[in-house]
Amino acid sequence: MSQGPEQHADNEIPLADANDPRLAPYRLLTDRALRDRAPSSPTEVSATENAPHGRFLAEGHYVLQRLIAAGAPVLSVMLTERRAAAAREYLSTFRGPRYLVSEELASKVVGYPVHRGVMGLVARPRPLTPAELTIDASLLVYLDGIADTENVGAIFRTAAALGADGVLVGPTTADPLYRRCVRVSMGATAVLSWARDTGGDALSRLNGGPLSGWSLVGLSPDGSTTLEHLVEHQPPRSVLILGSEGPGLGDKVRRDCDELVSIPIGADSDSLNVAATAAIALYRLAARRNGDSRHSSQTK
Amino acid sequence: MSQGPEQHADNEIPLADANDPRLAPYRLLTDRALRDRAPSSPTEVSATENAPHGRFLAEGHYVLQRLIAAGAPVLSVMLTERRAAAAREYLSTFRGPRYLVSEELASKVVGYPVHRGVMGLVARPRPLTPAELTIDASLLVYLDGIADTENVGAIFRTAAALGADGVLVGPTTADPLYRRCVRVSMGATAVLSWARDTGGDALSRLNGGPLSGWSLVGLSPDGSTTLEHLVEHQPPRSVLILGSEGPGLGDKVRRDCDELVSIPIGADSDSLNVAATAAIALYRLAARRNGDSRHSSQTK
């Protein structure tokens, strides 16, 4: 599969040195460093001038293809020679540099085996404000204190697939553009709109502002209303509020909710995982919102 | 929290040597070895005589408590001294040995940091046959080629919570009693009934046997029937058939299905994760099966 240099596209750049500064952003950087770090070299300055809000990494052909299709600002791509051919079609419109490396070099740079064969460095978009997110929206998800990146990724993936309008990310919830969130969400965290809700008292403030007129629906195993009851009298604009596995919704958040809604489960059972809860609730509310069209519209 | 030896219960045995043969089953064993390996020492013989079908490991207080409450045959428990007190209540009826070790020793034995503070060695039950599983059942899940232990665990957890009667585990699906499946399922893989469906042509054979009269419902993004349509005419006995992330249902399995059912998603979206798919489908079918009782029955 590896091709000689003469067959490389204009912007395919074979690299053989793990210390090449162009590979620096791919090198063992933490997600936080990618987001926050000031560039450390002239090469890095040019790489970050188009990324005033920081950068993140997207792994795998599927995710990168989805991001490019959605118009995400991809800054550069690192491809293993063996997998470069697979990327040519979806990268055909991509004008940035594609660094071609061996699988060994890729693993050395990244710090773990790179099986997916491709990583893209992407500029973070300007963060939306909660007010921007709520405009024209009618079904949102609020993530309260969900530190587990896999749960955050899974909920974004489901929310995008089932047609939620966006996600409000609570103060102590994991950053949706951390590597694992992007990967688990199959790129949905870079495609679906979301806004970080910062500071304490977050939900209360929103309730008096951008979420004024919205129904704040907390999902909780001890909720007094069942999901099916909520579906029957579905409010026109709802935020589904999800908490973390162990502690569930925080006390303050519970008090801010208009309703606490439960999904009935067996008496001898553990509670549902938060991602399963999100899937069930979003399915029911999105389906009701979209009416019968969901019964006939078929996508693959 | 650590207590002197004089305060230990009869069956609390402090151990300080990582090479103690009583800790052998906890020591860096692969799941497969625990399941299959013949005992290698007299101590191990006595430890395995009550486990003719092999053993598995359960991690964490919640999981162990659930297994003991369900009457699972726990053979021994390894506790860190710091967390031993937390286990006394739910272990009060447990007569087997409890090995008390330091956190350092536990991590040395297990091979990774033991944060959960407790591991139990449990005898595998005699495997059920598919015929045994289908008796008195009306809603089952079939896992077709799901090698990902996290997905297997997540589906079991949801299936147990939402009231499925059991799980048929296809030939190439991960063993539900592998450590990570047990952990992710919160112990559901050791509590919910399941049967391994071995050999090729598995579903066809079952269809002519124990699943005769059942409706075989394959969940697939390209299914021609929507889930809501299935819910409306829900057959009295259904097996929900789930495939793996990438390839989906195998060709043979697709042909064996009575219906291929989809959950409609947005046109520009990735497919739903298989665990999210399972949660939505089980919620809808279990709710319908249980009728209005689900709307009023409320659990914690």
Side-chain angles (χ1 to χ4, degrees):
Chain A
M1 299 289 266
S2 154
Q3 305 192 322
E6 70 284 5
Q7 291 167 276
H8 289 142
D10 279 0
N11 52 352
E12 284 183 351
I13 305 164
L15 297 178
D17 176 8
N19 294 314
D20 192 299
R22 289 167 289 188
L23 295 179
Y26 297 94
R27 187 183 304 128
L28 288 171
L29 281 184
T30 65
D31 288 310
R32 188 181 292 264
L34 270 177
R35 185 186 61 193
D36 303 332
R37 199 172 65 130
S40 62
S41 73
T43 317
E44 273 233 76
V45 170
S46 76
T48 53
E49 63 189 6
N50 297 319
H53 305 290
R55 298 164 291 170
F56 68 95
L57 286 171
E59 299 165 276
H61 289 295
Y62 176 83
V63 169
L64 202 57
Q65 181 166 14
R66 188 176 184 187
L67 263 62
I68 285 176
V74 178
L75 300 169
S76 70
V77 168
M78 180 178 73
L79 288 153
T80 61
E81 284 151 358
R82 211 162 62 82
R83 305 291 295 278
R88 289 234 167 79
E89 193 170 339
Y90 71 80
L91 286 179
S92 63
T93 58
F94 174 65
R95 294 293 98 212
R98 310 177 203 180
Y99 304 125
L100 288 185
V101 298
S102 67
E103 210 153 299
E104 295 68 38
L105 183 61
S107 301
K108 196 170 165 190
V109 167
V110 175
Y112 54 84
V114 177
H115 298 302
R116 290 160 197 260
V118 62
M119 291 183 90
L121 184 70
V122 191
R124 283 177 177 255
R126 179 184 68 78
L128 292 178
T129 63
E132 288 171 314
L133 187 67
T134 55
I135 296 172
D136 293 332
S138 62
L139 181 60
L140 293 173
V141 176
Y142 184 101
L143 304 181
D144 173 42
I146 305 187
D148 184 285
T149 49
E150 241 171 282
N151 280 333
V152 170
I155 295 169
F156 264 88
R157 181 176 175 186
T158 303
L162 294 178
D165 298 309
V167 179
L168 279 161
V169 179
T172 57
T173 291
D175 189 322
L177 294 179
Y178 278 7
R179 211 169 306 189
R180 203 166 174 215
C181 292
V182 177
R183 186 172 65 227
V184 172
S185 78
M186 303 295 265
T189 58
V191 172
L192 186 63
S193 300
W194 59 270
R196 172 69 78 175
D197 178 22
T198 48
D201 268 3
L203 209 47
S204 311
R205 277 185 298 100
L206 290 180
N207 208 359
L211 288 179
S212 160
W214 285 68
S215 189
L216 274 61
V217 177
L219 283 152
S220 181
D222 64 358
S224 53
T225 307
T226 62
L227 176 62
E228 291 309 303
H229 184 72
L230 179 73
V231 170
E232 279 161 27
H233 71 101
Q234 185 167 348
R237 305 180 95 182
S238 328
V239 196
L240 289 178
I241 303 165
L242 298 160
S244 72
E245 280 293 277
L249 295 174
D251 283 344
K252 273 205 56 59
V253 166
R254 288 173 70 93
R255 283 196 296 274
D256 287 328
C257 289
D258 297 308
E259 301 195 75
L260 288 176
V261 166
S262 70
I263 295 171
I265 61 172
D268 57 348
S269 276
D270 176 51
S271 63
L272 286 165
N273 161 271
V274 64
T277 301
I280 293 167
L282 283 167
Y283 173 75
R284 290 302 283 156
L285 293 182
R288 170 57 65 103
R289 184 170 70 142
N290 297 335
D292 285 342
S293 69
R294 291 191 81 79
H295 295 247
S296 52
S297 82
Q298 191 52 57
T299 58
K300 62 165 250 149
Chain B
M1 300 287 266
S2 152
Q3 307 192 319
E6 69 286 4
Q7 291 166 276
H8 289 140
D10 279 0
N11 51 354
E12 284 184 349
I13 304 165
L15 297 179
D17 176 8
N19 293 314
D20 192 300
R22 289 169 287 189
L23 295 178
Y26 297 94
R27 187 181 304 127
L28 287 171
L29 282 182
T30 65
D31 288 310
R32 189 182 291 264
L34 270 178
R35 185 185 61 192
D36 302 334
R37 197 171 68 132
S40 63
S41 72
T43 316
E44 273 234 75
V45 170
S46 74
T48 53
E49 63 189 6
N50 296 320
H53 306 290
R55 297 165 290 170
F56 68 95
L57 285 172
E59 298 165 276
H61 288 294
Y62 176 84
V63 169
L64 202 58
Q65 180 166 15
R66 186 176 185 189
L67 263 61
I68 285 176
V74 179
L75 300 169
S76 69
V77 169
M78 180 178 74
L79 288 153
T80 60
E81 284 149 1
R82 211 163 62 80
R83 304 293 293 276
R88 289 232 167 82
E89 190 170 343
Y90 71 81
L91 286 179
S92 62
T93 58
F94 174 63
R95 295 292 97 213
R98 310 177 203 179
Y99 303 125
L100 289 186
V101 297
S102 67
E103 211 153 296
E104 297 66 37
L105 183 61
S107 300
K108 196 170 167 192
V109 168
V110 176
Y112 54 84
V114 176
H115 298 302
R116 288 159 198 263
V118 61
M119 293 184 88
L121 183 71
V122 191
R124 282 176 176 258
R126 179 183 67 75
L128 293 178
T129 63
E132 289 172 314
L133 187 67
T134 55
I135 295 173
D136 295 331
S138 61
L139 180 60
L140 293 172
V141 176
Y142 185 101
L143 304 181
D144 174 40
I146 304 186
D148 184 285
T149 49
E150 239 171 285
N151 280 333
V152 170
I155 295 170
F156 264 88
R157 179 176 176 185
T158 302
L162 295 179
D165 298 309
V167 179
L168 280 160
V169 180
T172 56
T173 291
D175 188 322
L177 294 180
Y178 277 8
R179 210 168 308 189
R180 204 168 172 213
C181 293
V182 176
R183 186 173 63 227
V184 172
S185 77
M186 303 294 264
T189 58
V191 171
L192 186 63
S193 301
W194 59 271
R196 172 69 79 176
D197 178 22
T198 49
D201 267 2
L203 209 48
S204 310
R205 278 183 298 98
L206 291 180
N207 210 357
L211 289 179
S212 161
W214 285 68
S215 189
L216 275 60
V217 177
L219 283 153
S220 182
D222 66 356
S224 52
T225 307
T226 62
L227 176 62
E228 292 309 304
H229 184 72
L230 179 73
V231 170
E232 279 161 27
H233 73 99
Q234 186 168 347
R237 304 181 94 183
S238 328
V239 195
L240 290 179
I241 303 165
L242 299 160
S244 72
E245 281 295 277
L249 296 173
D251 284 344
K252 275 205 56 56
V253 166
R254 288 174 71 92
R255 284 196 296 274
D256 287 328
C257 289
D258 298 309
E259 301 194 75
L260 288 177
V261 166
S262 70
I263 295 170
I265 60 173
D268 57 348
S269 275
D270 176 51
S271 62
L272 286 165
N273 161 271
V274 65
T277 302
I280 293 167
L282 282 167
Y283 172 75
R284 289 302 283 155
L285 293 182
R288 173 53 67 101
R289 184 170 69 143
N290 297 334
D292 286 344
S293 70
R294 291 191 82 79
H295 295 250
S296 52
S297 84
Q298 192 50 55
T299 59
K300 68 147 222 151

